Amino acid sequence: MVRSANLGFPRVGAFRELKHAVEAYWKGQSSEAELQQVAKDLRAAHWKLQQDAGIDVIPSNDFSFYDQVLDMIATVGAVPERYNHQAGLVDLTTYFAMARGRQQDGQDVVAMEMTKWFDTNYHYIVPEFKASTSFALSSTKAVDQFKEAKALGIQTRPVILGPVTFLLLGKSYEEGFDQLSLLPSLLPVYAELLKALEAEGATDVQIDEPCLVLDLSADAKAAYQNAFEQLAGHTNLQLHLATYFDGLRDNAALAFGLPVASVHLDLRRAPSQLEAALNAVKPTQKLSLGVVDGRNIWKNNLNASLEVVQKAVEKLGSDRVIVAPSCSLLHSPVDLDSEQKLDAELKGWLSFAKQKLAEVVLIARAAAGERDDAAFAANAEAIRARETSPRIHNPAVKERVSGAVAADLQRDSAFEKRITLQKASLNLPPLPTTTIGSFPQTQEVRAARAKFKKGELSREQYDAFLEEETTRCIRIQEEMDIDVLVHGEFERNDMVEYFGEKLEGFAFSQFGWVQSYGSRCVKPPIIFGDVSRPEAMTVRWAEFAQKQTSRLMKGMLTGPVTILQWSFVRDDQPRSETCKQIAFAIRDEVVDLEKAGIKVIQIDEAALREGLPLRRGDWKQYLDWAVDSFRITAGGVKDETQIHTHMCYSEFNDIIEAVAAMDADVISIETSRSAMELLDAFVAFKYPNEIGPGVYDIHSPRVPKQEEMESLLHKALDVLTPEQIWVNPDCGLKTRGWAEVKPALEGMVKAAKNVRQELKNRQAA
Ligand code: 39S
Ligand code: ZN
């Protein structure tokens, strides 16, 4: 019998119940027992939902209060010293201290680092490793949750993050230390965990090793061999190896050579790997086929998937084939049935986590000879309707992209000439100060927007509220004496969703939440058709804001790659094509802002780096169209108009050429946590344009001292010319509170002024 499996279910809840419970606990509004109860109820509901859907293999331990990598850190007791964890179980306070830092009860510790999970918009907590790191089983979570499901009569397959991916995703803070050298001391803890699961009656375990889809060193390959041999030797559990987000490619022989009972493949991202897998799979192994997209929201083409599954069944027999989503459904919204506002036609094209499980079951049953003809016919009709819908095609948009010429990608003049004209026109002091765009999205702002959406505030009332907030934000910046102001973005729910709501070819959901980090969620818009801009999207607020001040007001836009990366993207044409369509829409907005008198315009490409393909050999093709898309957005304005861009986080070394090729006049980057080390790439490359290396870490509630920011500026001045440098925080301020933002920015402006004075004195001397 062909079986159906799931690799993980969204933990946040259809209405973000977990977010609300966790945040209430953090605020001291509820007890740990109350939080645990909400979590337990959610888990029970999710297991039940999967059971009702007919899924044969249901996961457990996919639940997390914050992140599954942090869960593994706690499980193996890899708690960094600063959290003062003594031996024994890691409690919830220590767990959340690692995630968010803690300033309470005499403790003052910073959070662990957070970074993007492969090429998703999900963030994981980065394990910290040193030569002295030791491990001990320090959490009973995996075992507890297995037992919890069992008590409900559901036999689950626990999911754990594999030991090699766990080590590879970590960071070593000691020069030359190789974290894989910790494998021998880590494996016994994994073995102990497997033994504990077995003792409670588990028969199978899913081991996630997504690093198997990356370019691997010889050491990493050896670590895989070694790790799985040891684990298999210490347990009677069936080990199920899960890979996802790309194909195994040259690691296929390695993966199938491991002593595992099955291997899971992502056949959405890498359908062509099936052939090699069918040849490499050993007679004792099963193959798990990830045919339903866990990363996107389109209805599965059941006939196409069935064909793939049947091909495997023919070769392996039905007992050795498993049907599954391509990866954990963590990256999907929960339930399409909650959506009340999507039009029926569009809704008919979509599938969220709950619907995906039904698809998996339909495919598995059909492959086992029990095809639900009615469901297959309805599905075929939905697929056909989407393919032929006039709503997805706009010939004018297609023509504009295919007709793009070199001139569309070029500013009129080279940077040297532009910057001279800009300096004359903008008349800024040296080391000009600015912010990245957003100011605190307070409860009040969100509540007003929610009221407006519910019809409890009229358009006029909501606009009046926003005008008041914007004006106040401008006055505050003027009082602080910031040079280039922003309007604060109070009218925006999210830097991507806001644009999605205004562009043609996009749809948006009411409850399509996906976890981004911890309790924070995003609601990615859905790009279903050719993208165009029916009317200006930001000019009203930019114009209003500029009228309130004699200072320069910066126009704020999200760039095409970031909009693409943080949306659910249509899968019926290349991403590059969709990206260029968005680029032309943004270009028109840039031109309109210029016409409205805005002289400085920022086009954020926060997600440019995370969009990089996972294999290096695929990078160039991506970077080519990503850079071209950005250049299309900026190519329509006069030399005098200054184009800024912003990129979140670090690691520019390997893409610095592409960043330079974007040719933004000014780029702001995150550097404050890494003490300006990030600048190395810009210096080594002799980056010619202007740079705002962030001097203030906005990801922490801590207010930086003025001297710290001055010292960071000195570091920047050691390697860059004074004419090149801008002074700004390292990201937008929307997640912070005014109480921290005000003193921090005041200190930042003072730091800039002090250093300006030093430069003046030096010149005079
Ligand atoms: N991806 C995207 N798309 N956008 C980003 O900014 C980022 N940044 C990085 C990387 N990826 C990104 C991740 N950082 C949040 C903050 C930072 C993030 C990601 C998410 C965040 O704050 N998310 C909010 C949250 O989890 C939701 C933001 C949102 O859409 O709470 N808010 C809406 C709004 O402001 C809806 C707010 C809401 O929940 O309008 N309203 C309540 C409701 O509808 C009512 C509120 C009230 O009455 O007080 O129930
Ligand atoms: Zn940022």
Side-chain angles (χ1 to χ4, degrees):
M1 277 288 282
V2 176
R3 284 159 59 84
S4 58
N6 186 24
L7 305 190
F9 195 79
R11 49 186 78 125
V12 59
F15 301 103
R16 293 181 298 162
E17 294 89 339
L18 185 61
K19 170 201 175 68
H20 298 128
V22 166
E23 289 181 358
Y25 170 74
W26 288 341
K27 287 185 201 141
Q29 295 163 353
S30 70
S31 66
E32 176 171 349
E34 286 169 301
L35 173 61
Q36 294 289 3
Q37 190 58 47
V38 172
K40 193 173 172 188
D41 292 346
L42 275 173
R43 288 191 294 266
H46 295 163
W47 285 321
K48 180 86 175 29
L49 183 153
Q50 297 176 77
Q51 188 180 46
D52 291 347
I55 293 287
D56 298 315
V57 180
I58 296 173
S60 60
N61 199 40
D62 51 342
F63 175 87
S64 177
F65 275 125
Y66 203 95
D67 161 49
Q68 69 270 9
V69 182
L70 179 59
D71 290 354
M72 212 60 221
I73 292 171
T75 298
V76 301
V79 181
E81 275 157 32
R82 63 180 177 279
Y83 302 102
N84 253 327
H85 171 64
Q86 312 302 324
L89 298 182
V90 173
D91 60 19
L92 203 58
T93 303
T94 306
Y95 178 87
F96 283 136
M98 289 192 279
R100 321 174 60 228
R102 185 160 192 266
Q103 276 179 314
Q104 221 178 305
D105 310 329
Q107 202 181 15
D108 185 358
V109 278
V110 296
M112 295 178 75
E113 214 177 294
M114 189 167 73
T115 196
K116 290 285 169 100
W117 176 245
F118 297 83
D119 58 356
T120 74
N121 196 5
Y122 175 85
H123 305 61
Y124 70 92
I125 299 289
V126 182
E128 295 177 20
F129 296 127
K130 313 198 279 186
S132 61
T133 301
S134 63
F135 304 104
L137 193 57
S138 306
S139 163
T140 55
K141 173 187 174 244
V143 176
D144 294 344
Q145 293 179 11
F146 174 80
K147 284 161 64 180
E148 201 176 291
K150 204 172 166 197
L152 297 169
I154 301 176
Q155 172 79 11
T156 57
R157 181 172 79 180
V159 186
I160 57 176
L161 182 62
V164 181
T165 293
F166 178 66
L167 288 178
L168 289 175
L169 291 183
K171 201 166 153 183
S172 161
Y173 292 85
E174 285 167 357
E175 195 85 31
F177 175 68
D178 172 17
Q179 57 245 44
L180 285 176
S181 67
L182 295 172
L183 190 62
S185 58
L186 177 63
L187 288 175
V189 180
Y190 267 78
E192 202 180 330
L193 174 63
L194 296 183
K195 201 161 274 165
L197 287 168
E198 206 179 322
E200 292 301 336
T203 53
D204 298 76
V205 62
Q206 173 187 325
I207 304 190
D208 281 10
E209 283 288 359
C211 281
L212 272 170
V213 308
L214 305 180
D215 297 316
L216 292 177
S217 67
D219 283 352
K221 288 181 185 171
Y224 270 112
Q225 198 66 45
N226 177 2
F228 279 82
E229 268 165 24
Q230 288 219 36
L231 291 185
H234 282 90
T235 180
N236 296 312
L237 293 178
Q238 303 267 300
L239 309 181
H240 299 272
L241 181 66
T243 71
Y244 38 82
F245 301 152
D246 208 335
L248 286 168
R249 303 194 204 183
D250 56 324
N251 300 325
L254 170 68
F256 287 101
L258 300 175
V260 293
S262 77
V263 176
H264 172 83
L265 305 175
D266 184 338
L267 293 180
R268 298 303 310 185
R269 277 297 176 84
S272 64
Q273 65 174 327
L274 179 61
E275 207 67 46
L278 287 174
N279 292 321
V281 63
K282 288 191 296 196
T284 52
Q285 290 173 332
K286 296 181 181 168
L287 203 54
S288 167
L289 307 177
V291 288
V292 172
D293 200 336
R295 296 270 304 264
N296 215 332
I297 42 60
W298 303 109
K299 197 167 256 184
N300 189 264
N301 183 334
L302 296 182
N303 279 309
S305 297
L306 181 59
E307 229 174 272
V308 172
V309 174
Q310 275 167 341
K311 189 172 170 191
V313 169
E314 265 164 43
K315 176 111 197 219
L316 308 179
S318 51
D319 287 344
R320 290 176 59 205
V321 175
I322 301 159
V323 179
S326 60
C327 59
S328 165
L329 297 176
L330 175 64
H331 312 288
S332 292
V334 178
D335 187 3
L336 185 63
D337 295 340
S338 310
E339 298 298 325
Q340 302 299 321
K341 292 192 177 159
L342 280 170
D343 68 83
E345 184 183 18
L346 197 74
K347 205 169 163 182
W349 301 346
L350 305 179
S351 163
F352 291 0
K354 186 177 156 199
Q355 289 71 35
K356 286 171 191 294
L357 294 175
E359 292 172 346
V360 165
V361 171
L362 282 169
I363 297 164
R365 293 206 177 141
E370 294 166 29
R371 184 180 143 124
D372 181 336
D373 289 332
F376 268 71
N379 176 264
E381 174 51 28
I383 300 293
R384 195 201 56 81
R386 181 177 158 217
E387 272 167 10
T388 55
S389 168
R391 284 175 72 185
I392 64 179
H393 301 292
N394 180 336
V397 171
K398 289 192 208 298
E399 249 163 63
R400 196 169 177 204
V401 169
S402 62
V405 292
D408 291 333
L409 280 68
Q410 290 286 352
R411 301 286 299 271
D412 292 338
S413 310
F415 173 72
E416 271 161 61
K417 175 148 180 231
R418 296 199 309 265
I419 198 68
T420 312
L421 294 169
Q422 288 165 17
K423 286 210 192 266
S425 152
L426 302 178
N427 197 23
L428 289 164
L431 308 178
T433 51
T434 191
T435 60
I436 304 303
S438 58
F439 270 86
Q441 279 274 336
T442 56
Q443 198 56 38
E444 206 192 347
V445 171
R446 292 220 155 121
R449 183 158 43 248
K451 275 193 185 161
F452 168 59
K453 284 197 173 161
K454 282 187 216 141
E456 290 166 19
L457 277 187
S458 68
R459 170 97 253 169
E460 291 69 36
Q461 287 170 316
Y462 180 53
D463 280 355
F465 168 82
L466 292 175
E467 288 188 356
E468 211 176 289
E469 288 292 309
T470 306
T471 308
R472 179 168 23 186
C473 180
I474 292 168
R475 290 285 104 71
I476 291 172
Q477 294 173 77
E478 285 175 336
E479 275 159 32
M480 288 174 176
D481 205 10
I482 292 178
D483 299 307
V484 176
L485 311 194
V486 298
H487 74 283
E489 300 178 19
F490 303 108
E491 77 285 11
R492 302 187 189 176
N493 46 5
D494 174 77
M495 59 185 279
V496 167
E497 198 181 1
Y498 179 79
F499 289 92
E501 289 175 2
K502 299 207 173 284
L503 288 165
E504 205 64 59
F506 279 74
F508 42 93
S509 63
Q510 281 168 283
F511 305 104
W513 295 104
V514 177
Q515 188 184 10
S516 180
Y517 70 87
S519 69
R520 300 278 180 180
C521 298
V522 292
K523 195 140 53 59
I526 297 163
I527 309 178
F528 66 87
D530 289 336
V531 176
S532 61
R533 189 194 67 138
E535 57 183 15
M537 303 181 284
T538 65
V539 173
R540 188 237 184 265
W541 288 107
E543 224 167 14
F544 170 82
Q546 183 64 84
K547 281 206 188 101
Q548 311 308 313
T549 181
S550 56
R551 296 178 182 231
L552 289 166
M553 180 60 58
K554 183 159 68 169
M556 293 300 314
L557 301 171
T558 305
V561 180
T562 301
I563 292 181
L564 184 86
Q565 193 64 23
W566 292 351
S567 298
F568 291 120
V569 182
R570 59 194 288 191
D571 56 359
D572 59 346
Q573 67 180 24
R575 290 169 73 84
S576 54
E577 182 75 13
T578 306
C579 194
K580 284 183 186 162
Q581 293 184 355
I582 304 168
F584 275 108
I586 301 292
R587 174 192 181 97
D588 294 345
E589 187 73 13
V590 175
V591 170
D592 279 352
L593 282 172
E594 181 185 64
K595 272 190 208 140
I598 304 295
K599 295 190 165 77
V600 181
I601 301 167
Q602 179 167 311
I603 309 163
D604 274 10
E605 281 297 18
L608 189 106
R609 194 172 204 296
E610 81 193 43
L612 273 179
L614 298 176
R615 296 283 193 140
R616 211 171 179 120
D618 302 336
W619 281 18
K620 184 176 181 312
Q621 202 209 2
Y622 161 79
L623 287 171
D624 283 351
W625 62 253
V627 170
D628 279 359
S629 298
F630 183 85
R631 294 179 63 112
I632 287 170
T633 64
V637 289
K638 297 182 295 200
D639 284 345
E640 286 81 356
T641 298
Q642 187 165 69
I643 299 291
H644 289 220
T645 192
H646 166 71
M647 287 187 193
C648 294
Y649 8 88
S650 41
E651 300 273 334
F652 284 93
N653 287 290
D654 40 15
I655 57 161
I656 187 73
E657 273 175 60
V659 172
M662 289 164 68
D663 198 25
D665 298 306
V666 182
I667 181 172
S668 60
I669 55 172
E670 183 179 310
T671 38
S672 52
R673 268 200 200 183
S674 54
M676 298 279 150
E677 273 159 35
L678 247 174
L679 275 180
D680 292 353
F682 288 84
V683 174
F685 183 75
K686 297 201 173 39
Y687 185 79
N689 302 10
E690 300 196 352
I691 310 177
V695 292
Y696 149 29
D697 172 17
I698 68 92
H699 302 90
S700 158
R702 182 174 171 274
V703 176
K705 295 199 179 74
Q706 182 194 322
E707 304 84 70
E708 290 169 15
M709 293 187 270
E710 264 183 63
S711 132
L712 287 172
L713 276 177
H714 286 139
K715 282 194 176 161
L717 276 165
D718 287 343
V719 291
L720 299 169
T721 66
E723 295 73 39
Q724 244 185 323
I725 300 176
W726 283 67
V727 182
N728 44 258
D730 70 354
C731 205
L733 300 164
K734 70 176 170 196
T735 57
R736 297 270 65 90
W738 279 105
E740 314 133 37
V741 162
K742 271 193 202 157
L745 289 180
E746 277 162 7
M748 184 188 88
V749 173
K750 279 199 195 124
K753 286 183 177 170
N754 281 352
V755 179
R756 265 176 218 162
Q757 190 58 47
E758 286 168 23
L759 288 173
K760 219 174 182 178
N761 296 346
R762 215 184 296 166
Q763 254 174 358

